[in-house]
Amino acid sequence: MYDFHHLPHVKVQTTSKKALWTTLLLTAFFTIVEVIGGILSNSLALLSDSAHMASDVIALGLSMIALYLASRPPNKKFTFGYLRFEIIASFLNGLALVVIAVGIFVEGIRRFIHPETIQFSFMLTIATIGFIVNLVLTIVLSRSMKEEENLNVKSALWHFIGDLLSSIGVIISAILIYFTGLYVFDPLISVVIGTIIFVGGAKIVRESYFILMDAVPDEFDIERIRADILSVEGVEDVHELHIWSISTDHYSLTAHVLIHENIQPFCVILAINEILKERYNLSHVTVQVEHPSIHQHGEYGKKFLERKNKMDMSGEEGCKNVPLI
């Protein structure tokens, strides 16, 4: 058993699981209905919406896997647990949406050039049912988001908001075709739906990409954090500062700090951890204390010592003026 952690690397979300199971079953059922309806009515707008719904089924399936994996504890191979799979699933979901949107654009252009007739009444009936289903699912997921933060649920919520708008678009398309007799509205609305899908997918890909690349989360200002660490008594330099997300709401920070030789290192670590916890709610922090006269820092260490020698600095032993818990 691998349990050498002072903080849990698991995420158990009961509300999210219930919400995703509900939306998965309803979405899978209505996707089948909408595909059949799109084929029978020959509506590209309806088929475009059904393609989006099909991607939602896949997305929800991946999200469910991610939630179950996130609840598994770390082991000797995966020391951070399985939290990152949530981000991998989100990235794949977003990428699938972008590909589907491109396919809709291509087919929409083809139908602009070669318009096709559609079955108005069938198209309108399926679209109306779709609107009701998507409205219910959007409400279910939005309530879940209020209780538990999760990128998968967030992406699923935006998918269904897109589906809701898509259903409205199909209904508008059917009404316009009925009153004008212009079938060009069908591919026109489908392109609008494709644009919504593309934008939503691109946002999810971007957000998950930054997490996978261990980028600094948007809610943190790394220079401000560096300045706060430098404000701790005894800290003379901060380098190798890294802040990243393992998953949503699961952040880690590591830093190397050069300290005055007359200050107790444990006091410095204690003070830095206290500041990061109080000001940024960062609990998973690793701080390495160093001094360039002992630890090799190459050219960086030489320049630091040159600056230090030019300054008239003094220090006292102990933890005086260092904040304690």
Side-chain angles (χ1 to χ4, degrees):
M1 184 176 178
Y2 188 77
D3 59 354
F4 304 106
H5 297 276
H6 71 282
L7 291 173
H9 291 287
V10 297
K11 181 187 287 187
V12 179
Q13 297 190 312
T14 305
T15 303
S16 296
K17 285 182 181 179
K18 291 180 180 178
L20 286 175
W21 270 119
T22 301
T23 53
L24 177 59
L25 294 174
L26 286 175
T27 304
F29 172 75
F30 186 71
T31 297
I32 298 173
V33 173
E34 200 166 39
V35 168
I36 295 173
I39 294 173
L40 294 177
S41 65
N42 196 33
S43 168
L44 178 59
L46 202 56
L47 286 172
S48 300
D49 192 44
S50 67
H52 193 184
M53 294 289 283
S55 73
D56 289 341
V57 173
I58 298 173
L60 289 168
L62 285 172
S63 297
M64 288 300 303
I65 295 173
L67 279 179
Y68 279 102
L69 285 178
S71 64
R72 295 179 61 181
N75 54 47
K76 293 181 180 180
K77 183 68 175 179
F78 298 98
T79 57
F80 274 112
Y82 297 84
L83 296 173
R84 184 56 68 89
F85 189 81
E86 173 190 328
I87 311 304
I88 296 174
S90 298
F91 182 83
L92 294 175
N93 292 340
L95 196 60
L97 288 175
V98 171
V99 172
I100 290 172
V102 172
I104 292 173
F105 292 149
V106 172
E107 181 63 16
I109 293 172
R110 189 189 70 81
R111 289 211 182 188
F112 269 121
I113 300 172
H114 305 288
E116 297 183 13
T117 58
I118 63 171
Q119 297 294 324
F120 160 75
S121 58
F122 206 74
M123 173 184 175
L124 183 60
T125 300
I126 298 297
T128 303
I129 297 173
F131 172 79
I132 297 172
V133 171
N134 287 319
L135 180 62
V136 171
L137 296 179
T138 300
I139 293 173
V140 170
L141 288 177
S142 61
R143 288 181 176 177
S144 173
M145 280 294 296
K146 290 180 179 179
E147 296 186 31
E148 296 174 346
E149 179 67 22
N150 185 287
L151 182 59
N152 279 309
V153 177
K154 180 180 178 181
S155 63
L157 174 61
W158 281 107
H159 285 187
F160 284 108
I161 290 175
D163 286 336
L164 189 62
L165 296 175
S166 298
S167 298
I168 295 173
V170 175
I171 294 172
I172 294 174
S173 174
I175 294 173
L176 290 173
I177 291 172
Y178 177 78
F179 285 104
T180 66
L182 298 175
Y183 293 104
V184 72
F185 283 112
D186 183 55
L188 179 62
I189 294 296
S190 71
V191 170
V192 174
I193 294 172
T195 302
I196 295 172
I197 296 173
F198 184 87
V199 172
K203 287 182 178 179
I204 295 168
V205 168
R206 180 181 181 275
E207 186 173 354
S208 55
Y209 166 77
F210 281 127
I211 295 178
L212 290 173
M213 290 298 293
D214 291 332
V216 176
D218 292 337
E219 51 265 56
F220 297 114
D221 183 342
I222 194 167
E223 291 304 325
R224 181 180 175 185
I225 292 176
R226 185 191 303 275
D228 285 340
I229 295 176
L230 281 169
S231 69
V232 174
E233 182 183 356
V235 175
E236 299 179 323
D237 180 78
V238 180
H239 57 280
E240 289 295 336
L241 176 60
H242 302 284
I243 310 169
W244 71 98
S245 300
I246 301 301
S247 182
T248 51
D249 278 351
H250 194 99
Y251 307 110
S252 291
L253 181 148
T254 62
H256 292 196
V257 295
L258 301 180
I259 66 171
H260 194 280
E261 56 268 28
N262 294 325
I263 199 77
Q264 291 185 10
F266 288 125
C267 297
V268 173
I269 295 174
L270 183 64
I272 292 174
N273 276 276
E274 179 72 10
I275 286 177
L276 294 176
K277 176 63 177 177
E278 288 185 353
R279 299 182 184 179
Y280 304 101
N281 197 30
L282 285 167
S283 299
H284 200 266
V285 175
T286 303
V287 179
Q288 179 170 312
V289 294
E290 304 172 329
H291 194 277
S293 62
I294 302 174
H295 302 86
Q296 292 295 324
H297 282 79
E299 193 64 27
Y300 184 88
K302 291 179 181 178
K303 290 182 178 180
F304 172 79
L305 288 174
E306 289 175 1
R307 293 195 305 268
K308 180 178 174 64
N309 291 334
K310 291 179 182 179
M311 300 174 63
D312 182 18
M313 301 183 65
S314 61
E316 298 179 4
E317 292 188 16
C319 296
K320 183 178 179 181
N321 297 325
V322 178
L324 301 177
I325 296 177

